[in-house]
Amino acid sequence: MKWWAFIIASEMRKILAFRFDFWVTFLGQSFIQIIISISLWKSIFESRESQEMMGYSLESIVLYYLIVPVGSKMLTGENIGFLSREIYDGSFNRYLLYPISFFQYKTLTYLTYSCFYGLQLIFIFLSYHILSGGIQSEQLINLLAGFIFFFMASVTYSQLALGIELISLWADNIWSLMVMTRFLCFFFGGAYIPVDFFPQFMKDILVFTPFPYLINLPIKVTMGSARMEDLFSGTVALLVWTILFHLGARLLWKKGQYHYSGVGI
Amino acid sequence: MKRYLKLYLHFLRFSFSKAMEFRLDFTFRIVMDIIYYFVNLALFKILFLHTDLIAGWTLEQMMIFVASYLLVDAINMTFFSTNLWWLPYYINKGDLDYYLIRPVSALFFLSVREFSANSFLNLIIAVFIFVYSIINYTQPWEVEKLFGLILLLINGAFIYYLIQMLMIIPAFWTQSTRGFIDLFYTLGLAMERPDRIFKGWIRIIFTTILPFSLIASFPARYFIEGLEELSLLHLLSVSLVLWILILSLWKKGLRNYSSASS
């Protein structure tokens, strides 16, 4: 078996170790988030007495919030705060001894989670369309394109997360820093409200940040409402931000290794 | 009572000295909560750019509600959150023994032992946001209503703690409560939405079975519109029933606790 297949198999075993937790999390979280979001938006649409807001009908808002929970999970994976624990107990040593690079290992474990949640995305999307009257080939293409965009966004986010996790070579605990990053990515990325609802000045600023390409754009691609130029600019933006985050993380890795005692804290 | 108060003061002293050991993390946590506050305030401000009313409330009324749940969240983070975070691990690893042999209530000890010093600073910020939202409220209001709101929010913080315990106690039987805890944090979103948006069976769930709407939405409604006696009675009886339920489940759980690591 190739080294990458070993890593994927080992991560899959971890994901499926607590099956009950997994189903409670998946079904429960998705269902609750959707119910709460739909209740809020229904109330907003009712008070406005209009069929459409910022190009979204109530039906498209429902689909948007169906994709948000699994899309967000696909984006962020599950590796939050692990590195600081490994530094704390000294098990960080293994990355210095493994025959593969730290970045290869971490990115692969991260993306295994992302792909797994990607399967949930496919499940949710197909279920929605089948229940609402059948699926068309165009929607399948949108789903495939959306999956690819979410995957690209996951790669970008993984490099950002790695960089932040590496700060734990200096700080004792970076859990709060990771949560902060998630808050910002979710809020400015459109997980709480679609970016189209933001005031214009915010949208103008956000174009120059990675945020709208992490959640909002992949969702719009999955829904089939993204324009061709959005796809192009999104791909370029994700690529550029991935490179920048990766270079930043590499710099932190290079400098941070000298701060590591090798015996834990 | 006096003994418990004295014990709590000891907990406070230990928690502050512990927090000062990890100063960078201490700062990060403060900033994290500030961002959380910013996100919540901005969320509704943005929504109100597109509508004048949400669930019958205007922006300034909604700000009272937002400030209310931020306050409840800050109370919970300061007094209970860290303790409840570790509780399933203690149950799972058999570390509960240490707490069971103490000459104080194990539930009290495990629930409030660690006072979160950094969250205390955020609690001050949350109080500031709350005061600010009240000062900027242009509708007439009475001091008794404000006093009632504060009391109901303290009760709300207690309900929040009880629901969290409800999700943790299954650890005595399932060994891992990660799924339930994740579910709790997702359900917490219901606390951050006005209760009027929920209709039918969803409303019954969030006002009675998992009463997240009673935490901040009912108290805010009491201040803004006044609550009828029946709703107040409902709020207090649900809190009481939940408290009795937790006490009984805790006792049952302890009987099921094997002590050995699993």
Side-chain angles (χ1 to χ4, degrees):
Chain A
M1 206 187 253
K2 298 267 189 206
W3 63 267
W4 51 265
F6 268 116
I7 296 172
I8 293 173
S10 134
E11 291 305 309
M12 286 303 282
R13 273 197 300 274
K14 277 187 213 166
I15 294 171
L16 295 171
F18 291 100
R19 284 190 197 90
F20 180 71
D21 276 352
F22 167 74
W23 282 108
V24 167
T25 308
F26 169 50
L27 294 173
Q29 283 190 337
S30 307
F31 184 67
I32 292 159
Q33 281 190 31
I34 291 158
I35 289 286
I36 295 172
S37 302
I38 292 172
S39 300
L40 177 70
W41 282 96
K42 251 186 172 174
S43 155
I44 295 172
F45 270 89
E46 274 168 18
S47 66
R48 273 178 54 102
E49 293 173 351
S50 64
Q51 301 294 313
E52 209 174 271
M53 278 173 79
M54 305 303 289
Y56 288 86
S57 63
L58 183 58
E59 196 182 311
S60 56
I61 279 281
V62 169
L63 181 58
Y64 188 95
Y65 282 100
L66 270 175
I67 301 171
V68 164
V70 275
S72 307
K73 275 191 168 256
M74 191 174 170
L75 179 79
T76 54
E78 283 238 336
N79 283 343
I80 196 163
F82 283 5
L83 201 63
S84 61
R85 208 180 305 155
E86 289 165 342
I87 291 166
Y88 191 84
D89 63 22
S91 57
F92 184 75
N93 290 355
R94 61 194 172 128
Y95 301 116
L96 305 172
L97 301 171
Y98 278 171
I100 54 163
S101 96
F102 166 79
F103 287 93
Q104 276 178 326
Y105 177 80
K106 276 287 178 185
T107 308
L108 195 59
T109 56
Y110 192 95
L111 294 179
T112 307
Y113 277 94
S114 295
C115 286
F116 190 73
Y117 290 122
L119 296 177
Q120 295 183 345
L121 171 74
I122 294 169
F123 174 76
I124 291 267
F125 186 86
L126 291 179
S127 305
Y128 171 80
H129 281 294
I130 289 166
L131 289 173
S132 52
I135 190 145
Q136 289 156 7
S137 57
E138 195 189 318
Q139 287 160 337
L140 285 174
I141 294 167
N142 292 338
L143 175 63
L144 178 69
F147 186 92
I148 293 168
F149 263 85
F150 265 119
F151 186 79
M152 290 196 300
S154 303
V155 176
T156 308
Y157 189 88
S158 71
Q159 300 312 300
L160 169 66
L162 268 180
I164 291 168
E165 290 231 33
L166 281 167
I167 293 174
S168 46
L169 285 161
W170 288 270
D172 303 303
N173 195 341
I174 48 86
W175 173 83
S176 37
L177 205 55
M178 286 297 288
V179 176
M180 239 185 275
T181 311
R182 276 193 185 193
F183 269 148
L184 293 174
C185 288
F186 283 5
F187 180 67
F188 292 117
Y192 301 143
I193 328 172
V195 173
D196 302 283
F197 285 83
F198 285 22
Q200 193 55 44
F201 79 91
M202 276 177 85
K203 284 193 263 190
D204 292 343
I205 297 169
L206 285 175
V207 171
F208 299 103
T209 70
F211 302 122
Y213 312 107
L214 295 177
I215 299 175
N216 196 65
L217 179 64
I219 293 181
K220 285 178 88 169
V221 173
T222 314
M223 290 169 63
S225 58
R227 296 168 303 172
M228 195 48 94
E229 56 262 41
D230 294 335
L231 301 186
F232 179 72
S233 61
T235 308
V236 173
L238 285 172
L239 189 69
V240 169
W241 282 108
T242 305
I243 294 169
L244 288 176
F245 288 142
H246 180 73
L247 291 176
R250 278 213 175 264
L251 187 69
L252 289 169
W253 167 253
K254 208 171 156 188
K255 301 253 181 208
Q257 282 178 70
Y258 300 107
H259 284 261
Y260 179 59
S261 68
V263 289
I265 298 169
Chain B
M1 187 68 188
K2 204 173 162 188
R3 189 163 67 105
Y4 279 87
L5 203 66
K6 215 169 152 187
L7 186 65
Y8 195 73
L9 288 175
H10 281 293
F11 291 162
L12 280 183
R13 215 176 56 226
F14 292 142
S15 300
F16 270 101
S17 48
K18 199 173 161 191
M20 286 303 139
E21 263 182 71
F22 303 103
R23 285 184 195 178
L24 199 58
D25 184 50
F26 182 78
T27 318
F28 282 160
R29 279 173 191 250
I30 293 169
V31 179
M32 177 186 78
D33 280 349
I34 292 172
I35 289 175
Y36 169 72
Y37 297 158
F38 161 78
V39 164
N40 279 278
L41 292 167
L43 179 84
F44 283 100
K45 292 246 179 199
I46 291 173
L47 284 176
F48 272 97
L49 292 175
H50 305 277
T51 182
D52 297 327
L53 289 172
I54 295 178
W57 283 343
T58 59
L59 177 61
E60 62 171 11
Q61 289 170 330
M62 192 60 80
M63 283 302 119
I64 301 246
F65 165 64
V66 175
S68 297
Y69 75 70
L70 292 182
L71 192 60
V72 170
D73 179 76
I75 294 171
N76 183 267
M77 291 295 283
T78 308
F79 297 99
F80 306 118
S81 195
T82 314
N83 301 288
L84 299 193
W85 176 263
W86 291 111
L87 187 51
Y89 296 99
Y90 294 153
I91 297 169
N92 186 245
K93 291 185 173 175
D95 290 345
L96 215 59
D97 308 13
Y98 168 76
Y99 300 93
L100 296 177
I101 54 166
R102 301 260 146 179
V104 283
S105 154
L107 188 58
F108 168 80
F109 198 79
L110 285 157
S111 301
V112 295
R113 192 177 66 114
E114 265 196 54
F115 175 90
S116 178
N118 60 290
S119 296
F120 179 66
L121 291 179
N122 291 116
L123 178 59
I124 296 170
I125 298 170
V127 170
F128 175 77
I129 295 171
F130 181 75
V131 172
Y132 183 81
S133 71
I134 298 283
I135 291 171
N136 280 283
Y137 188 57
T138 54
Q139 302 300 311
W141 55 274
E142 299 130 32
V143 182
E144 305 91 76
K145 278 273 172 75
L146 179 63
F147 189 66
L149 171 65
I150 293 167
L151 279 180
L152 290 178
L153 287 178
I154 293 169
N155 182 63
F158 186 57
I159 296 175
Y160 194 68
Y161 157 80
L162 292 173
I163 303 174
Q164 198 169 355
M165 280 301 287
L166 196 65
M167 300 288 174
I168 289 170
I169 289 176
F172 282 111
W173 291 274
T174 64
Q175 306 309 326
S176 160
T177 54
R178 223 195 83 213
F180 282 113
I181 291 293
D182 285 349
L183 201 61
F184 169 77
Y185 288 116
T186 311
L187 279 164
L189 196 59
M191 172 183 80
E192 299 170 5
R193 301 290 177 261
D195 67 279
R196 280 226 186 86
I197 66 165
F198 302 122
K199 305 265 160 57
W201 60 271
I202 304 167
R203 185 171 178 79
I204 296 171
I205 290 176
F206 288 137
T207 55
T208 310
I209 302 165
L210 292 167
F212 282 96
S213 289
L214 305 188
I215 295 171
S217 187
F218 268 51
R221 207 137 66 76
Y222 166 79
F223 180 79
I224 296 163
E225 313 157 6
L227 273 180
E228 56 272 35
E229 281 170 10
L230 204 65
S231 298
L232 272 174
L233 189 70
H234 171 79
L235 198 157
L236 296 174
S237 45
V238 168
S239 314
L240 191 68
V241 169
L242 202 55
W243 174 229
I244 294 167
L245 180 71
I246 290 300
L247 284 181
S248 119
L249 284 175
W250 175 255
K251 279 180 192 159
K252 274 196 198 322
L254 283 182
R255 274 202 290 275
N256 200 64
Y257 175 61
S258 60
S259 184
S261 162
S262 54

